[in-house]
Amino acid sequence: MGNQFVGRGVNVVKKILAIHTGGTISMSQNAQGEVVPNDQNPIAQDATILAGRVQLITDEMFNLPSPHMTPVQMLQIKQRILKAEAQGIDGVVITHGTDTLEETAYFLDLTLPNTIPVVVTGAMRSSNEVGSDGLYNFQSAIEVAAADASRDNGVMVVMNDEIHTARYVTKTHTTNVATFRTPTFGPIGLVTKGHPMYFQKLIQQTTCDIDHVIDGVYLLKAYAGMDASLFDALATDQTRGLVIEGVGAGNLPPATLPGIQRLLDRQIPIVLVSRCYNGVAEDIYDYPGGGIGLCKMGLLLCQGLNGQKARIKLLVGLSAGLTGSALADFLRTAVS
């Protein structure tokens, strides 16, 4: 058959760029049972089993455990994808460690034009563990990236036979192979019998092209008895922005308010989301520290995103030079 993709609904040769960045999917378990990086990525080496189905182009950009990933590397991945797209690539698969996978996926979702399928995948079990899921997830991701039906869905995360949007997916379990879930909304599709099936459509969002990333954007999680000390520690010229995971629908202990006001007085944008696993932040409560008063102070309510995603969005907006009402409009909801 030659280099012809045989998944249902696809009858032409597809050129797929596989960008490997490291993580558990590229690691192995040693004799002591410790999961450690390899000198060579076994997934990249094993990718030859797909040679008869797509024209696969491999780029081993990084070999990083996912806690080592930073927005600088995320930007480099974005730039590599744009280069490949200009060269006529049909889709992209990125293998990535799972700890920060959702942040890289959402960064790309915000900064890439929504033109070709871009899929991020990983593994919860290393390459030589019993029940290793890496190669299977990688193959599923290639199936999704090569399918015409995958266009116009933004960046997707494919794990454990499910297709999720980068915008809403999150890691929910430390070790389970079914760790990636989309609270509230669920996956947009499934991978079944070697091809993607979609059941929901992503609401489009505006992308924000950037050529650099700034530092000094932070994330704090509210807790019972929290005071102003952490906010005062951030009241420096190095702080460019802050995301707060409030309790409940988006509320904070009243003792935090003086410190928050001091940050606002320094013209530091502050975004409010909920620390809850499900639901969206809303300005419902009108008491000291309630969401209504926080919004009146000038905090920007970001609905539908968790703390780490909201931080990525704030970082992207600030890196693009957005300020004032333009930044507020960009941040206000998950759909820009």
Side-chain angles (χ1 to χ4, degrees):
M1 293 182 62
N3 287 338
Q4 185 173 15
F5 185 79
V6 296
R8 189 180 303 177
V10 180
N11 55 14
V12 296
V13 174
K14 293 295 183 79
K15 291 190 294 183
I16 303 298
L17 172 65
I19 299 174
H20 298 285
T21 69
T24 299
I25 193 169
S26 67
M27 297 181 184
S28 297
Q29 196 175 62
N30 64 20
Q32 291 74 44
E34 302 160 338
V35 178
V36 296
N38 294 305
D39 292 333
Q40 289 188 321
N41 185 336
I43 293 296
Q45 304 305 312
D46 288 343
T48 54
I49 69 167
L50 300 165
R53 309 180 69 180
V54 297
Q55 182 182 344
L56 195 66
I57 301 166
T58 299
D59 187 340
E60 297 185 58
M61 282 191 71
F62 309 117
N63 189 17
L64 297 172
S66 59
H68 297 192
M69 188 67 66
T70 73
V72 172
Q73 281 93 34
M74 296 176 194
L75 182 63
Q76 291 172 355
I77 297 170
K78 175 243 183 185
Q79 293 167 336
R80 178 66 181 92
I81 293 171
L82 289 177
K83 179 181 178 181
E85 185 175 1
Q87 295 170 340
I89 206 77
D90 295 303
V92 178
V93 172
I94 302 154
T95 64
H96 196 290
T98 59
D99 287 353
T100 60
L101 183 151
E102 66 190 88
E103 290 164 82
T104 295
Y106 188 55
F107 179 96
L108 297 174
D109 192 54
L110 286 171
T111 59
L112 285 171
N114 186 15
T115 51
I116 60 172
V118 176
V119 181
V120 189
T121 192
M124 295 304 293
R125 295 172 183 159
S126 61
S127 62
N128 62 343
E129 290 184 64
V130 175
S132 174
D133 55 330
L135 189 57
Y136 182 83
N137 285 338
F138 182 44
Q139 180 170 340
S140 296
I142 293 173
E143 303 272 3
V144 172
D148 291 336
S150 298
R151 299 179 73 91
D152 301 320
N153 283 331
V155 176
M156 293 165 284
V157 173
V158 172
M159 297 274 290
N160 202 42
D161 285 330
E162 293 185 339
I163 307 169
H164 297 265
T165 66
R167 188 186 303 168
Y168 297 125
V169 73
T170 190
K171 186 175 181 180
T172 65
H173 194 285
T174 55
T175 56
N176 196 306
V177 294
T179 181
F180 280 92
R181 302 287 188 183
T182 298
T184 306
F185 308 115
I188 61 170
L190 303 173
V191 180
T192 177
K193 295 184 179 179
H195 69 278
M197 296 179 62
Y198 291 99
F199 303 96
Q200 298 187 61
K201 192 67 179 176
L202 181 71
I203 300 173
Q204 293 299 313
Q205 74 177 57
T206 302
T207 57
C208 186
D209 190 23
I210 58 174
D211 58 11
H212 71 285
V213 289
I214 66 167
D215 295 320
V217 181
Y218 301 106
L219 171 63
L220 291 179
K221 187 169 188 171
Y223 54 86
M226 190 180 198
D227 61 18
S229 56
L230 291 176
F231 299 98
D232 286 334
L234 292 175
T236 70
D237 292 338
Q238 286 69 48
T239 299
R240 305 288 295 277
L242 172 65
V243 174
I244 307 172
E245 288 189 3
V247 297
N251 309 300
L252 293 170
T256 64
L257 300 182
I260 290 172
Q261 186 59 59
R262 286 188 281 272
L263 291 177
L264 292 171
D265 291 342
R266 299 177 70 95
Q267 306 301 310
I268 294 171
I270 302 177
V271 177
L272 179 67
V273 299
S274 173
R275 72 178 190 179
C276 292
Y277 172 78
N278 248 320
V280 298
E282 300 180 79
D283 50 346
I284 296 174
Y285 291 98
D286 192 9
Y287 52 70
I292 292 175
L294 294 173
C295 290
K296 289 179 179 177
M297 288 177 67
L299 273 67
L300 304 171
L301 199 64
C302 187
Q303 295 178 311
L305 297 182
N306 58 25
Q308 55 267 36
K309 298 271 187 70
R311 177 187 170 269
I312 290 292
K313 192 163 194 181
L314 178 58
L315 184 149
V316 167
L318 291 172
S319 296
L322 299 181
T323 60
S325 60
L327 180 63
D329 290 342
F330 180 67
L331 291 166
R332 204 172 304 281
T333 63
V335 183
S336 300

